[in-house]
Amino acid sequence: AQTVTQSQPEMSVQEAETVTLSCTYDTSESDYYLFWYKQPPSRQMILVIRQEAYKQQNATENRFSVNFQKAAKSFSLKISDSQLGDAAMYFCAYRSLPGEMDSNYQLIWGAGTKLIIKP
Amino acid sequence: ETGVTQTPRHLVMGMTNKKSLKCEQHLGHNAMYWYKQSAKKPLELMFVYNFKEQTENNSVPSRFSPECPNSSHLFLHLHTLQPEDSALYLCASSQTRGGSNTGELFFGEGSRLTVL
């Protein structure tokens, strides 16, 4: 069974600095999706970035980028130029590719990392 | 309207009460989910409905009873809950067919449940 581990319960960073959140996972599959979700204090979880395992290029969304190391089963999130609005819980998640009957749509979640932004 | 709406946002109930949580999605998705979120734990998937049919029930106690009358609405009926059921309950939806089937979930803001 797949597992996702976020080893940092809490991280803090100075505003405008760069921070990296760690995520490792375990799987025997070769193709899958990886996600980073953000949950601000208002609680609505939103997708930050998505990576397809078959793509070697690391995904990037504005100030957010990932370092995807498939062999090491590592999927870290880098936030550049941190802003106060980045303060939130960040969750790493794994999903198998959909099966023929669309049955593989469960996400496997990490326990989350609380990111604190210091002004 | 926002994509996924949950009501109520906060609910306090006694162990003998019966209440319901409601979720509505305006995204045209075919799958809807209930998750339980407790502090410092990964999200726990409770139920999944795909095209109104329940496809997952992750060993959830029978005191939680889901209902999905159509692809846009999802309910979680609660009765004789325990204090350990206090948590944030998140509803989500996704599209599970076609080229956009990447597994991305769209969440509501959650219903904070406190069982006394």
Side-chain angles (χ1 to χ4, degrees):
Chain A
Q2 296 88 6
T3 59
V4 175
T5 302
Q6 293 180 251
S7 59
Q8 306 153 318
E10 186 174 297
M11 291 281 286
S12 62
V13 62
Q14 205 72 34
E15 193 176 3
E17 297 291 311
T18 296
V19 64
T20 298
L21 308 184
S22 300
C23 174
T24 59
Y25 59 94
D26 189 26
T27 185
S28 59
E29 299 174 334
S30 58
D31 287 326
Y32 43 86
Y33 293 108
L34 294 165
F35 305 86
W36 277 99
Y37 280 84
K38 169 185 178 182
Q39 188 180 36
S42 65
R43 299 178 305 186
Q44 187 164 32
M45 191 99 69
I46 57 173
L47 179 68
V48 175
I49 201 164
R50 176 180 64 239
Q51 175 80 43
E52 290 88 347
Y54 60 87
K55 291 185 178 179
Q56 293 185 342
Q57 186 173 8
N58 288 328
T60 298
E61 290 287 341
N62 300 315
R63 296 181 297 106
F64 298 86
S65 61
V66 298
N67 183 5
F68 174 48
Q69 300 291 326
K70 191 173 183 180
K73 297 179 182 176
S74 172
F75 182 61
S76 60
L77 175 69
K78 185 173 82 171
I79 305 174
S80 304
D81 184 26
S82 298
Q83 301 175 0
L84 294 178
D86 295 333
M89 286 291 296
Y90 286 82
F91 295 92
C92 179
Y94 170 104
R95 184 208 163 179
S96 302
L97 288 186
E100 289 185 2
M101 300 302 292
D102 300 324
S103 58
N104 286 338
Y105 37 69
Q106 283 203 43
L107 269 68
I108 310 301
W109 296 85
T113 297
K114 182 179 181 180
L115 179 62
I116 298 169
I117 310 295
K118 298 178 182 178
Chain B
E1 295 188 21
T2 57
V4 181
T5 304
Q6 289 187 241
T7 56
R9 295 287 303 277
H10 299 273
L11 178 62
V12 179
M13 59 188 290
M15 294 169 61
T16 59
N17 291 159
K18 290 184 179 181
K19 298 285 185 183
S20 296
L21 306 181
K22 178 183 176 182
C23 177
E24 184 174 359
Q25 60 100 357
H26 307 277
L27 301 168
H29 291 161
N30 60 275
M32 296 188 75
Y33 310 74
W34 280 116
Y35 279 92
K36 176 182 179 182
Q37 185 177 25
S38 304
K40 301 181 180 179
K41 293 176 64 176
L43 271 69
E44 300 173 51
L45 180 64
M46 300 175 72
F47 302 104
V48 181
Y49 279 82
N50 194 10
F51 291 102
K52 302 189 301 178
E53 299 295 322
Q54 184 174 315
T55 55
E56 296 288 342
N57 177 345
N58 284 359
S59 303
V60 179
S62 59
R63 56 186 184 270
F64 295 91
S65 174
E67 178 189 0
C68 187
N70 55 61
S71 293
S72 298
H73 293 85
L74 185 64
F75 295 88
L76 187 63
H77 303 300
L78 316 169
H79 61 99
T80 59
L81 294 190
Q82 305 298 312
E84 60 264 30
D85 297 323
S86 298
L88 182 67
Y89 288 85
L90 294 172
C91 175
S93 69
S94 74
Q95 185 63 31
T96 65
R97 287 283 175 88
S100 60
N101 183 6
T102 61
E104 179 181 353
L105 296 178
F106 293 77
F107 286 86
E109 292 186 337
S111 295
R112 172 69 64 186
L113 173 65
T114 302
V115 182
L116 301 176

